[in-house]
Amino acid sequence: MKSILKELVGGKALVFIIVLGLGGSFQNGFHLTAISSPSPYIQSFINSSWMHHYGDVPGEKTITFIWSAVVALYAFGGLIGSISVRYLTNRLGRKGAMLLNSAIAVVATVIMYISKPAYSFELILVARFLIGFGAGLGLNVHTIYLGESSPKRIRGMVTLTSATFLSLGKLAGQFAGLREILGREEWWNILLCIPTFFCVVQLAVLPFFPDAPRYILIEKGNAEQCKKALQCLWGPGDYKLEIEEMVEEQAVIGEEHNKSLMDLLRDKHLRWQVFSLLVVNICIQFSGVSAITVFSFNIFLEAGIPVDKIRYVTLGIGASEVLVSITCGLLIERVGRRALMWRGFGGMSAIMALITVTLYLKEYSSVIPYITVILIFLFIIFYGGGPAGTVLSLANDIFIQSYRPAAFVFIGFLRWLGFAMLGFIFPFLIAALKSLSFVLFSCVCLIAALYVFFILPETKGKTPLEISQEFKNIRACGSSKEDAMCLETKL
């Protein structure tokens, strides 16, 4: 622990991580939760804005459609931002792409702020698209930048800070949305502008930091600048071993830099990596986190918690996720990504099964709702300390430099398309299955836990080339030269 802290404060790495986090995934987390508090006020503003411009009262369907567009444009912007990550990181570098992302956030904030005095709901639509674009681009660039700037011995811990700042952003959005803070009708546009302060800080501070060392050496071929970047971030040293590993990877890549998404999907040597990302990300989408969000209010109400106090309990859930994410960061280099992930999914599966039982038995005892509340907290703990914390680190680990941006395009596509699909499917799923939907989520989590335990290799303390070899060692039925009769992986 002391050696890790010594590394973080030996150079400028700690400040770098904080500045990058507040202008990166923190923005995504804040806007995910902050929009729920002022939603009735924004819908009221849409109504008055329409009357101001067109002179008649809009129908209920019109208001619903415009509000749906406000929500959907965030997801659409996120999808476009994720798809853009490969192009922008190649043209501008990791630092340049991050600075562009912060600049876009500032522009979106100005548009969002003036929408209210201008009586223009159209400006809200434009701002939400730009905010979504920044969320999709920023989260991916943030993770890539961290992973390509950190030594392999603490790469997982450093990369996981992106998940920690995402959780911190969610908590900040919930807190700022309280009525006692900014959750009032007259302040909704100010509420949605708050996180941009950190983007301005990032625009002012990040230019004084170097670009990602791996990007500088492997893609730009500048070993001397790479060494200076490592020394700036991590303190004095020759970093001979790190540079030798980068040179080795550069030799393997050759001139084939910046592969496209289609190159990634067509490369037969990367099928296990791509399939692993597909399984893990889909299972996270359908793990039941959205169900917890929908059901938690009613569960807390049935447990006897007053309506006006439920929001504070929700804040407690958010705080738990932040604390667990920090703990996960401290453990990831000791326990490993794979162990945290399969245990997290396994715990989530068991808890979902228990929640199904407690929801079914809630009428039989007044104690049952309190047990369900405890289970919800436990679910968030397993989620934050397992899949949510490790998936971004895993994605950064399992691809070499030339395929990494394309891999994050793939992840972003899965995340934002899944976000949109889940938003459409989920209400019908809950209406049809009700509490039995938790059985489905339990099965999804169990599938993910089994896949990670039996197939996914450990990536802790290994170079991307070593990890690629681990995936090549996976053999499916009939695919190996020895005609293996079962699936195996060298762990």
Side-chain angles (χ1 to χ4, degrees), residues 173-397:
Q174 291 172 334
F175 180 76
L178 293 175
R179 183 168 179 79
E180 296 86 343
I181 311 299
L182 291 173
R184 301 181 184 182
E185 185 168 7
E186 61 269 26
W187 291 344
W188 63 262
N189 60 328
I190 297 175
L191 168 64
L192 298 178
C193 295
I194 289 295
T196 309
F197 168 77
F198 298 114
C199 290
V200 175
V201 172
Q202 188 179 87
L203 285 169
V205 177
L206 194 59
F208 295 98
F209 287 92
D211 213 323
R214 295 185 68 85
Y215 170 78
I216 293 171
L217 195 151
I218 297 175
E219 297 196 28
K220 296 300 179 182
N222 195 328
E224 188 61 32
Q225 284 297 114
C226 172
K227 184 177 178 180
K228 288 180 180 179
L230 287 167
Q231 290 171 340
C232 174
L233 293 172
W234 306 102
D238 61 4
Y239 296 97
K240 184 178 179 182
L241 181 60
E242 286 82 359
I243 291 174
E244 285 177 354
E245 289 171 352
M246 293 182 206
V247 170
E248 183 183 352
E249 186 175 337
Q250 185 186 40
V252 171
I253 294 172
E255 298 297 323
E256 299 181 355
H257 295 292
N258 199 33
K259 294 284 191 175
S260 69
L261 177 59
M262 292 308 299
D263 291 330
L264 175 72
L265 297 177
R266 281 195 294 254
D267 194 329
K268 64 180 181 180
H269 299 296
L270 298 174
R271 285 175 185 170
W272 277 112
Q273 286 98 314
V274 172
F275 186 67
S276 296
L277 283 185
L278 183 67
V279 170
V280 171
N281 278 276
I282 287 178
C283 288
I284 286 176
Q285 291 279 2
F286 290 90
S287 64
V289 175
S290 299
I292 291 294
T293 303
V294 170
F295 273 88
S296 59
F297 183 87
N298 290 332
I299 291 169
F300 294 151
L301 200 62
E302 289 172 5
I305 300 172
V307 175
D308 60 332
K309 302 297 181 186
I310 288 178
R311 52 186 173 171
Y312 300 109
V313 179
T314 306
L315 274 177
I317 293 177
S320 300
E321 187 175 349
V322 172
L323 292 174
V324 170
S325 182
I326 294 170
T327 305
C328 182
L330 298 175
L331 293 175
I332 192 169
E333 296 299 347
R334 185 178 302 175
V335 179
R337 287 75 153 154
R338 177 173 165 269
L340 286 173
M341 190 173 288
W342 76 257
R343 289 170 184 172
F345 273 124
M348 290 160 64
S349 176
I351 290 167
M352 278 296 180
L354 290 172
I355 288 176
T356 305
V357 175
T358 57
L359 289 176
Y360 182 74
L361 298 175
K362 64 184 179 182
E363 304 295 337
Y364 291 88
S365 173
S366 60
V367 179
I368 298 295
Y370 292 97
I371 296 174
T372 310
V373 171
I374 294 170
L375 289 174
I376 287 174
F377 272 87
L378 287 174
F379 180 86
I380 294 300
I381 288 171
F382 275 101
Y383 173 72
T390 55
V391 67
L392 292 174
S393 178
L394 175 72
N396 204 74
D397 287 348

Side-chain angles (χ1 to χ4, degrees), residues 27 84 434:
Q27 306 290 317
S84 304
K434 294 184 170 58

Side-chain angles (χ1 to χ4, degrees), residues 118-129:
Y119 268 91
S120 174
F121 67 84
E122 295 90 348
L123 289 179
I124 297 177
L125 297 173
V126 174
R128 284 290 288 175
F129 173 79

Side-chain angles (χ1 to χ4, degrees), residues 85-97 144-145 147-150 210-223 225-226 229-230 246 249-250 257-258 401-402 404-405:
V85 67
R86 172 180 162 267
Y87 174 78
L88 292 174
T89 53
N90 181 52
R91 292 295 300 270
L92 304 175
R94 280 49 173 164
K95 183 171 75 171
I144 294 172
Y145 200 172
E148 294 182 1
S149 299
S150 52
D211 213 323
R214 295 185 68 85
Y215 170 78
I216 293 171
L217 195 151
I218 297 175
E219 297 196 28
K220 296 300 179 182
N222 195 328
Q225 284 297 114
C226 172
L230 287 167
M246 293 182 206
E249 186 175 337
Q250 185 186 40
H257 295 292
N258 199 33
Q401 188 79 12
S402 56
R404 192 172 293 118

